[in-house]
Structure formats: structure tokens, C-alpha cells
Amino acid sequence: MPLSTELDELLAACRRYEPAAQRKLYARYAALMLGVARRYTRSLDEAEDILQDAFIKVFTRLNEFRGEGSFEGWMRRTVVNTALNHWQSGQHRRQQLLLDDVPEPFAPDADAFDRLGVAEVLALMERLPEGCRMVLNLYAIDGYTHGEIAEMLGIQESTSKAQLSKARKQLHLLHQQQTSYYRL
């Protein structure tokens, strides 16, 4: 059976609130969506809470999925929005979005940074201030525009751009600190 037909049948069963179908859908996407949620949190426990909330939204709002794009993309957007809502709601201590306290680092060694693997970059991203990490995730990984990010986070578009710039510089600084530590 083709993947799209199988997914369509699975989604139809989930729309009828069939527990077996819901378990199957969860098993199919949970690991991938946990990775998405994890990028927006500081801990695995928090990411798991977001994932659970996101799946509840997926199951209760499945009729909103019109099939106009990929189901995975729709689900990813649900997880990202759930993570942002979690962050903004006060369930997570929100740090100031304006990053005047983040120092401007000196010029980084771009070649060294380009050699980093995905796991290393993600580990460095976890060390960024909240606002920088959110904007970097939304822009560089999830592909939102600065206008969309500004609307999602309730900030100015120029603030989104400034945070992205500072996030990139801060990543380079963190990378330099890490590599100089290991050289000692």
C-alpha cells in the first residue's frame, strides 16, 4: 500500500478517535517531533511535556489538517507553536528578549565552525540565551521569516534580525571557547 494511502487511512482512523490508530501515529512521529520540541527547551523532560501537549492538539485538531501540504509539516508546525506557547506562557521562566547584555564577540574562525557536526551545533545552541535560541531555531532550522517570527514571539522584526545576528556571533564565541578549552 503506498505511503500516502496508508497515512490517509491512519489519519481517518485517528479522526474517528480509534486508540490503536492514535498509538500508531504517535509511534510513527514521536521521536522526530521530540527532536523538534527538544530544540526549543533546556531539558528532555520539558520537551516531553511539549510533545505530549502537541499530540493532544494533533488528535483534537486533526480535522484542521486539509492535506494541502505534508502531514509531517503540519505536525511540526503544531509542535513548534506548542513549544513557543509553553515558553511564552510562563510555564518556563522567560528571559528578556532584548539582548543588550550579550557581549559582541570578536571575529570568529569560520572554517573551524563549518567543520562542526549537527550534534555539536545543537549542543552549542542549548547554551544560547533563550531569545537567541528561539529566533535561531525558527529562522535557520524551521524556515520562518523574520516577519513570521516577530508575530509569533510578539517582538519587532528588527529585534528578530538582531537576535539572529547575535545568536550566530554567540555560537561562534561558544565554539571558540570550547575548542580553546580542549587545546589546553
Side-chain angles (χ1 to χ4, degrees):
M1 173 180 331
L3 183 61
S4 65
T5 303
E6 178 187 340
L7 179 59
D8 290 342
E9 289 178 10
L10 182 59
L11 294 178
C14 286
R15 283 184 180 105
R16 294 187 300 269
Y17 299 102
E18 294 178 14
Q22 291 175 330
R23 281 191 298 275
K24 188 173 181 179
L25 188 72
Y26 181 88
R28 186 178 201 167
Y29 290 103
L32 179 64
M33 295 303 138
L34 180 61
V36 172
R38 183 65 180 96
R39 288 195 327 262
Y40 290 90
T41 64
R42 296 261 187 224
S43 72
L44 181 59
D45 288 340
E46 189 178 359
E48 288 172 342
D49 288 345
I50 289 168
L51 181 70
Q52 179 179 348
D53 291 347
F55 263 98
I56 290 169
K57 289 177 184 177
V58 165
F59 291 134
T60 58
R61 299 177 181 170
L62 201 50
N63 287 330
E64 294 175 17
F65 175 65
R66 306 276 182 234
E68 295 169 355
S70 75
F71 176 72
E72 183 179 313
W74 180 81
M75 182 179 270
R76 179 180 302 270
R77 184 180 312 258
T78 301
V79 172
V80 168
N81 288 336
T82 302
L84 292 176
N85 290 340
H86 176 82
W87 180 68
Q88 291 176 327
S89 72
Q91 293 174 8
H92 176 76
R93 287 192 181 261
R94 184 175 177 183
Q95 294 180 354
Q96 185 178 1
L97 279 173
L98 299 175
L99 303 174
D100 296 331
D101 58 336
V102 177
E104 289 289 337
F106 50 90
D109 175 7
D111 292 334
F113 193 72
D114 289 342
R115 291 189 296 270
L116 287 176
V118 172
E120 294 166 309
V121 171
L122 291 175
L124 289 173
M125 285 176 63
E126 286 185 6
R127 296 174 55 197
L128 291 174
E130 293 291 327
C132 284
R133 194 179 80 232
M134 291 294 170
V135 171
L136 183 64
N137 271 314
L138 290 167
Y139 184 84
I141 297 176
D142 291 320
Y144 289 98
T145 66
H146 286 292
E148 292 169 325
I149 294 168
E151 185 177 321
M152 294 166 94
L153 297 180
I155 59 176
Q156 296 294 315
E157 192 171 330
S158 60
T159 303
S160 177
K161 291 176 182 178
Q163 287 184 356
L164 178 63
S165 176
K166 288 184 180 188
R168 287 176 171 162
K169 290 175 184 176
Q170 192 72 10
L171 277 177
H172 284 292
L173 178 63
L174 290 169
H175 176 251
Q176 283 185 324
Q177 289 172 345
Q178 180 177 315
T179 54
S180 64
Y181 172 80
Y182 289 119
R183 280 189 240 147
L184 296 177

